[in-house]
Amino acid sequence: MGQTIELKAADGHTFPAYVAQPAGTPKGGIVVLQEIFGVNSHIRSVADGYAAEGYFVVAPSTFSRIGKASVELGYTEADMKEGFGYKMAVDGMAEPAVLADIQAAIDHAAQAGKVGIVGYCWGGLLTWRAACLLNGLAAAAPYYGGGMTAEADASRQPRVPVLAHFGDQDQWIPLDTVEAFRKAQPGVTVQVYAANHGFNCDQRGSYDAAAAKLARERTLAFFAQHVG
C-alpha cells in the first residue's frame, strides 16, 4: 500500500517519508509521527491503517536531521536506549529543525485536502508542538506524548482542535501531570485509559487491545469531524 519518497523542508533539508495511499479519492491527509524507534514496521502499519480508512498518509523520518533517517528499531531495552539517544540528539538541535520537516510533511499531505496529525510517544510530543506552532493543520491527536504535560509544553496554546490520549499506568507520564495538563488546557479533549505507555503498539509488551481500539475509534471520529 505504501512507498518511501523524499521530501524537502523549507531550509533545503531532504528526508525520507513513508506515504500510504487510500484506494479511492482521499478524505484528507494524515501525518503520522514516529516513536523513538524510527519509521519501523509498526509505524508503517499505522500509516497503512489510516490509508485503509480513506486518508492520504505521510509518515516522515524525524531522525533524519542527525543522519539516522532509515533507522528501524525494535522494542528491546537496547533498542529503547539507542532510540532515546537519537531523540535526545534531535531535541538538542534548534527547535525549528525537526518542525520544519514536519511542516514539509503537512504541506505534502495537504494535496489531499485538510490535514490531521497523529503521533506516538516522542511523536505525540511533536504532534502537540505541531498543533501549537505549525501551519496547515485541521486537527491533532497526540498519544502519550512524553514531555507534553511538563510545564514548558503544557503552557503552549494549540491552534487547532486536539484530542490527547494517555494511560493511567504510564510511568513516564504521571497521572497527576495529565490532570494538571487537563486543567491548563480546557479546550483540549483529554482521554485517559486503563493502560500503560505504548498501549497502541501491538509489537510491545505494553500493548492493550481494548485501549488501542477505543482510542483509534475516537481518533477516527475526531478526524472525520475535523479533516473529512
Side-chain angles (χ1 to χ4, degrees):
M1 184 180 291
Q3 62 176 324
T4 298
I5 65 168
E6 191 171 86
L7 296 179
K8 180 181 287 189
D11 64 358
H13 175 70
T14 58
F15 59 97
Y18 179 78
V19 173
Q21 300 266 8
T25 302
K27 298 175 181 178
I30 299 292
V31 173
V32 174
L33 297 184
Q34 65 173 71
E35 301 168 294
I36 62 171
F37 308 102
V39 184
N40 61 7
S41 60
H42 171 64
I43 293 298
R44 294 195 299 272
S45 73
V46 169
D48 290 344
Y50 279 107
E53 295 291 338
Y55 296 100
F56 175 67
V57 187
V58 182
S61 167
T62 47
F63 282 157
S64 65
R65 292 273 173 170
I66 58 166
K68 298 292 182 181
S70 60
V71 68
E72 290 191 40
L73 300 176
Y75 300 94
T76 66
E77 199 68 38
D79 290 325
M80 191 169 295
K81 184 176 180 180
E82 183 178 348
F84 187 74
Y86 297 153
K87 169 200 177 294
M88 293 302 291
V90 175
D91 284 349
M93 303 177 74
E95 186 173 76
V98 68
L99 291 179
D101 300 341
I102 297 169
Q103 184 67 67
I106 294 167
D107 295 344
H108 188 71
Q111 65 185 277
K114 292 182 180 178
V115 179
I117 189 167
V118 59
Y120 307 85
C121 186
W122 180 48
L125 172 61
L126 294 176
T127 294
W128 170 246
R129 289 178 177 171
C132 298
L133 299 169
L134 300 185
N135 300 314
L137 289 172
Y143 276 67
Y144 33 85
M148 66 179 280
T149 64
E151 186 176 353
D153 272 285
S155 63
R156 298 181 191 266
Q157 293 303 311
R159 300 177 176 181
V160 297
V162 175
L163 168 62
H165 305 287
F166 297 99
D168 65 4
Q169 299 156 38
D170 191 336
Q171 62 177 326
W172 304 106
I173 310 173
L175 195 56
D176 62 335
T177 70
V178 174
E179 293 307 322
F181 177 86
R182 192 199 298 267
K183 290 178 182 177
Q185 296 288 343
V188 173
T189 300
V190 175
Q191 299 287 3
V192 177
Y193 304 82
N196 211 322
H197 191 82
F199 69 76
N200 183 72
C201 179
D202 58 6
Q203 297 182 23
R204 300 178 71 167
S206 56
Y207 174 62
D208 187 292
K213 180 176 183 292
L214 180 56
R216 188 171 190 272
E217 289 171 353
R218 286 170 168 167
T219 302
L220 286 170
F222 178 70
F223 285 152
Q225 178 183 358
H226 296 289
V227 178

